[in-house]
Amino acid sequence: MRSLGFARDDTWVAAALVALLLLSAPALAVNPDEMLKDPAQEHRARELGKDLRCLVCQNQSIDDSDADLAKDLRVIVRERIAKGDSDEQVKKFVVDRYGDYVLLKPPFRAGTLALWLGPLALFVGALWAVLAFYRRRPAEQAAPPPPPLSAEERRKLDALLKE
Amino acid sequence: MRRLLYVLPVVVFTVLALFFLKGLTLNPREIPSVLINRPVPEMNLAPLPGRGENSGLTTESLKGRVSLVNIYGSWCISCVQEHPVLMEIKRRGDVPIHAVDWRDDPVLGAAWLKKNGDPYERVGVDPPPGRTAVDFGVTGAPESFIVDKAGIIRYKHVGPISMEIWTRTLLPIIRQLEKQ
């Protein structure tokens, strides 16, 4: 049967293409010629790059971005790692020049307390409000429990259940 | 207690709305520079070809006079828009302007100045990966820094300078710094 104009073969081709798409890795912004020879150092550079904001595209990390400035920062991060800087020293180097803004994960300190704890406070507040609302309802609306079944009713019920 | 429960959502909404309203009016391109009131970075940039031996940009060359340091590149589109303003500043002799030719082929950087006019006193070449530009915390071109007599960065302007920005904002800061 031909449905929707697709021949059976087309369906298989389409399925194969989707499978291939799902298998393929996302394109990388990092060029092979930027990479460090030492795989451990390169891995550190990649991880650091994911935490540093691309100042041009702003919502991408320098690891993701194809912007020239992101590439420059990747190269400079790798230079510093090759020179023996720790991850913290590399981050400090970039923050000294671009401020905390360059960190995709803002640091936890007095000035950013509201940023980190605000959502939690909102959630706790909302939870409290919901609980308070529901806890009071039964007290206000609770009807008196229905009277127990009479002997006649019990007998009818038993008869019904037996059927 | 009960009344509070009714008022609370309104209060929370108002506070959030005010925050978002403020956020909407901010310009995400304007990243506050952490380098204000810090010395200009250590640099020793080569001159552009054809501009003479002593026209490169060094940390020392920025001391003694208030000056403007402009980040440009022959590839930079907004720099074309800004350039006539820099030429006018030079014509008026308001303040010496220096430049960092950022991520550029020095030959192209020099040709660009030949074509559009050269408002600069000193030009340093900062080839990729633009170490000096990164030391300046540059996020794009053009960007301009006001440097005081002691070689300390006092102000940063992101984007092209217009005549209005120059006379209203930058020049008063420069005049103020010159008195110190």
Side-chain angles (χ1 to χ4, degrees), chain B residues 1 10 13 23 25 31 36 45 47 53 56 58 107 116 118 120 123 129 134 140 167 175:
Chain B
M1 183 65 195
V10 181
F13 175 80
T25 57
I31 303 155
I36 304 300
L45 301 178
E53 283 294 300
T58 64
V107 176
N116 296 297
D118 187 344
Y120 303 126
V123 183
V134 166
T167 45
R175 291 286 175 255

Side-chain angles (χ1 to χ4, degrees), chain B residues 113-130:
Chain B
L113 288 185
K114 206 158 244 167
K115 185 179 147 215
N116 296 297
D118 187 344
Y120 303 126
E121 194 165 309
R122 292 172 165 276
V123 183
V125 178
D126 188 26

Side-chain angles (χ1 to χ4, degrees), chain A residues 55-58 68-69 71-73 75-76 79 93 95-101 122 128-129 132-133 136 140, chain B residues 1-2 4-5 8 12 16 28-29 31-32 34-35 38 102-103 128-131 133-135 137-139:
Chain A
L55 282 308
V56 183
C57 10
Q58 303 205 338
D68 285 336
L69 183 61
K71 181 190 162 78
D72 288 351
L73 283 173
V75 170
I76 289 170
E79 272 176 10
F93 175 88
V95 169
D96 277 349
R97 284 152 181 77
Y98 290 99
D100 285 341
Y101 179 78
L122 267 181
W128 169 79
F133 183 70
R136 209 177 32 218
E140 282 170 3
Chain B
M1 183 65 195
R2 210 189 140 84
L4 182 77
L5 216 57
L8 202 64
V12 170
L16 284 180
R29 294 274 151 203
I31 303 155
V34 287
L35 287 134
R38 295 226 307 249
W102 183 36
R103 298 194 106 261
R131 287 184 184 83
V134 166
D135 283 345
V138 166
T139 58

